[in-house]
């Protein structure tokens, strides 16, 4: 793998949604990614729309990943909505742990007050720790926790877990590199994509799941973002581009374009980075 030692790349399933998990592993290996991000659990409303790794898939997929030299860096997506199914979470965490996952992304929904948010995330983080997995709270417009500052407060008061920092959601919610730097101790993985300076509210969901820009093709200060984060760092290549697929671009070329764009950003960021090292993740 040709990712840097300090910033390792992970190919996110959302980038190549039409690829089965085993194919995503192959694409990661082809493009120089050490890791993949796979879905091991899905809210009922989204089931059937995303490739899902189940317990029965583990033996064959684990062997395939070993042959390819690729592991899971992060698993998604755990919906903390007040109706958490601890048994379903345990199965999904076990699948991830069996494949080498060290992180699990969670979204908080239907929060009545800050204490509930803290307690709910802390409970999930404690469960994840039983599988040697660190929970990552992702902030975004489509959840109850929209900003980095809100999410950071929850993680600090929960005293466990970390933040998942998606560049698209960060900058769409008017987050800043300075805000990231102030909370860098909580972040050990970041999701990279780009976009225009502004996206209309009624197009935000479509942008997030279908029409992100390749890193370097938009206006987000991605190199500056990476430069203030502690290393070692996991950088997920999360660049869904359905128009490219519709135009006949094959999965390897789509994956390669996204990964190469992220590598370029990493190359720009490394000279700017300080030698700080994270104690988390």
């Amino acid at each position: 793998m040709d990712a840097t030692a300090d910033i390792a790349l992970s190919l996110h399933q959302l980038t190549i949604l039409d690829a089965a998990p085993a194919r995503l592993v192959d694409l990661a290996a082809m493009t120089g990614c050490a890791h993949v991000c796979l879905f091991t659990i899905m809210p009922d409303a989204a089931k059937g729309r995303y490739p899902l790794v189940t317990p029965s898939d583990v033996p064959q997929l684990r062997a395939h990943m070993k042959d390819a030299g690729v592991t899971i860096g992060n698993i998604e997506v755990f919906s903390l909505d007040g109706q958490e199914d601890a048994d379903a979470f345990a199965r999904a965490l076990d699948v991830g742990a069996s494949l080498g996952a060290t992180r699990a992304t969670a979204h908080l929904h239907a929060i009545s007050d800050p204490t509930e948010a803290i307690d709910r995330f802390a409970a999930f983080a404690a469960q994840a720790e039983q599988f040697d997995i660190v929970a990552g709270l992702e902030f975004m417009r489509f959840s109850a926790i929209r900003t980095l500052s809100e999410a950071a407060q929850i993680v600090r008061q929960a005293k466990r877990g970390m933040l998942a920092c998606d560049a698209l959601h960060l900058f769409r919610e008017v987050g800043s590199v300075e805000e990231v730097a102030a909370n860098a101790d909580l972040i050990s993985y970041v999701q990279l994509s780009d976009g225009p300076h502004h996206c209309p509210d009624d197009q935000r969901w479509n942008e997030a799941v279908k029409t992100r820009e390749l890193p370097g093709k938009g206006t987000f200060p991605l190199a500056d973002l990476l430069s203030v984060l502690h290393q070692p760092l996991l950088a997920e290549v999360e660049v869904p581009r359905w128009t490219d697929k519709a135009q006949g671009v094959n999965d390897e070329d789509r994956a390669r374009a996204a990964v190469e764009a992220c590598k370029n950003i990493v190359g720009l960021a490394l000279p700017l980075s300080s030698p700080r090292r994270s104690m988390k993740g």
Side-chain angles (χ1 to χ4, degrees):
M1 303 300 167
D2 61 358
T4 72
D6 288 337
I7 302 180
L9 294 182
S10 177
L11 184 58
H12 198 292
Q13 180 75 74
L14 199 62
T15 300
I16 312 292
L17 201 57
D18 51 313
R23 176 60 177 168
L24 191 76
V25 168
D26 291 338
L27 293 170
M30 291 175 190
T31 57
C33 291
H35 311 287
V36 290
C37 173
L38 297 174
F39 294 104
T40 64
I41 191 169
M42 189 64 56
D44 288 341
K47 285 182 178 176
R49 302 193 321 210
Y50 301 86
L52 188 66
V53 182
T54 66
S56 63
D57 298 323
V58 167
Q60 185 173 359
L61 186 57
R62 180 167 53 201
H64 190 74
M65 294 175 75
K66 182 178 180 181
D67 290 342
V70 171
T71 63
I72 293 186
N74 173 38
I75 54 175
E76 295 196 0
V77 53
F78 294 82
S79 182
L80 311 183
D81 58 5
Q83 301 180 43
E84 291 84 343
D85 184 335
D87 291 338
F89 280 9
R91 289 191 294 272
L93 290 164
D94 186 54
V95 167
S98 297
L99 297 171
T102 56
R103 301 163 177 84
T105 298
H107 298 158
L108 274 164
H109 300 281
I111 299 301
S112 60
D113 59 65
T115 298
E116 181 184 356
I118 295 163
D119 291 346
R120 201 182 291 171
F121 178 70
F124 173 67
Q127 184 179 19
E129 287 170 6
Q130 297 174 19
F131 296 86
D132 294 323
I133 290 175
V134 180
L137 177 59
E138 183 175 15
F139 54 93
M140 61 173 176
R141 158 174 300 242
F142 313 113
S143 75
I145 309 302
R146 295 176 54 158
T147 67
L148 187 155
S149 59
E150 291 176 285
Q153 184 176 13
I154 290 168
V155 173
R156 291 194 190 283
Q157 294 193 34
K159 299 187 185 333
R160 57 200 339 148
M162 65 175 67
L163 293 177
C165 182
D166 186 317
L168 177 72
H169 299 312
L170 172 73
F171 295 120
R172 282 286 172 258
E173 296 306 313
V174 202
S176 67
V177 171
E178 291 75 18
E179 190 178 8
V180 171
N183 293 286
D185 59 307
L186 296 180
I187 302 169
S188 79
Y189 67 117
V190 62
Q191 295 161 334
L192 296 178
S193 64
D194 214 330
H197 179 70
H198 176 71
C199 179
D201 286 352
D202 62 356
Q203 295 179 27
R204 294 280 186 94
W205 176 257
N206 189 68
E207 178 188 43
V209 300
K210 294 183 179 181
T211 62
R212 300 192 189 202
E213 287 285 355
L214 293 170
K217 297 295 186 180
T219 63
F220 301 162
L222 298 176
D224 291 340
L225 170 65
L226 290 182
S227 74
V228 301
L229 290 170
H230 296 181
Q231 298 170 17
L233 176 70
L234 181 71
E236 294 190 331
V237 180
E238 187 174 356
V239 195
R241 293 180 54 78
W242 287 29
T243 53
D244 291 346
K245 179 179 182 296
Q247 291 171 3
V249 182
N250 65 43
D251 59 1
E252 181 179 350
D253 287 344
R254 282 180 279 137
R256 195 171 299 281
V259 172
E260 289 303 317
C262 287
K263 287 180 180 178
N264 289 340
I265 296 298
V266 170
L268 293 172
L270 287 176
L272 304 175
S273 300
S274 73
R276 295 173 296 178
R277 292 294 181 267
S278 173
M279 298 301 292
K280 281 184 169 280

